[in-house]
Amino acid sequence: MSRRIRVMVVLPENNTTIEPEITALCPALAPLAVARVKRPPRTLLLEDLPAYAEATLDAIAPFASEPWDLVIYGCTAAGFLGGPNSNARMVGSLRERTGATVISTAGAMVDVLREAHVSETAVVTPYLGPVNDGLRRYLESSGIEVEILNSFFCRTTAELGAITEDEVLELARRTVTPSSKSLFVACSQLPTLHAIAQLRRELEIPVWSSIKATAWASARAMTGRGFQVQFDDAM
């Protein structure tokens, strides 16, 4: 298809990273319409999910009557905290309300690791302990063991938003071990646009992030629908 792809990304209201990074990784998806979801000024917890799900549907309501090709559900934690079935329900709700193909960051995380034949990975996150435990459970329920997990342990969205790409690189390097078979940087707020390629060169193992996995899954989905979408995996 030669027409522009109509894409909406559904983000936590504090997110400043996923829109510019997906645009850089998949220029054919731009410009992205952005639906911002109200959330607590701290990292999400399991008990926040019902309110966050309701806020997500409220956020897309002004856009729902427009014709969309792709909707990206871009909050990693909201996707994995309730487990695969909870994430699938939200994907189904977004698809029902928009008529679009829906990609979730939590689903893309599992899909890209499986595509890379990863069954065990090191993980970097910004989350507190209970959320990290939820991420472990989500990955392990999908057949992916967490070898080691390290975190910035952010208490607020302000702390999360202040993390730089250099800090992500530093924590990633301190997290992997000589036996690490893969590395995943979880959270669509953490900046990783150039860090992933650098870590791949240094570590010589599969390295992915929430945003890069989401861009990969989005490009694959739209290519499958006949659009021409280049995914810049070398960036």
Side-chain angles (χ1 to χ4, degrees), residues 54-202:
E54 184 176 344
T56 298
L57 299 180
D58 288 344
I60 68 164
F63 304 91
S65 63
E66 300 178 38
W68 301 104
D69 298 303
L70 175 67
V71 172
I72 298 170
Y73 181 47
C75 182
T76 313
F80 70 68
L81 271 174
N85 290 337
S86 175
N87 185 58
R89 284 193 297 273
M90 178 52 69
V91 167
S93 293
L94 292 171
R95 184 185 302 117
E96 179 183 352
R97 284 162 173 76
T98 63
T101 297
V102 180
I103 294 296
S104 75
T105 296
M109 171 174 60
V110 169
D111 288 346
V112 80
L113 291 175
R114 286 174 172 167
E115 182 78 7
H117 305 291
V118 168
S119 59
E120 179 183 270
T121 188
V123 179
V124 168
T125 87
Y127 308 126
L128 297 175
V131 184
N132 287 325
D133 291 342
L135 177 57
R136 285 180 184 272
R137 288 192 297 270
Y138 181 85
L139 287 173
E140 289 170 1
S141 72
S142 303
I144 300 167
E145 296 294 322
V146 175
E147 175 217 3
I148 185 171
L149 186 150
N150 209 346
S151 179
F152 290 101
F153 297 109
C154 294
R155 294 164 296 177
T156 67
T157 54
E159 290 179 4
L160 174 56
I163 295 170
T164 67
E165 193 162 9
D166 283 344
E167 288 172 325
V168 173
L169 274 168
E170 180 185 357
L171 185 59
R173 290 168 176 145
R174 288 194 283 111
T175 299
V176 293
T177 71
S179 60
S180 293
K181 298 176 175 62
S182 173
L183 171 66
F184 195 89
V185 180
C187 182
S188 56
Q189 174 59 39
L190 292 180
T192 61
L193 184 60
H194 304 292
I196 299 305
Q198 185 168 340
L199 288 166
R200 287 175 178 175
R201 289 192 296 270
E202 293 177 10

Side-chain angles (χ1 to χ4, degrees), residues 9-26:
V9 59
V10 186
L11 299 174
E13 61 183 349
N14 60 291
N15 189 285
T16 58
T17 310
I18 193 169
E19 181 185 5
E21 292 202 5
I22 285 186
T23 297
L25 291 165
C26 294

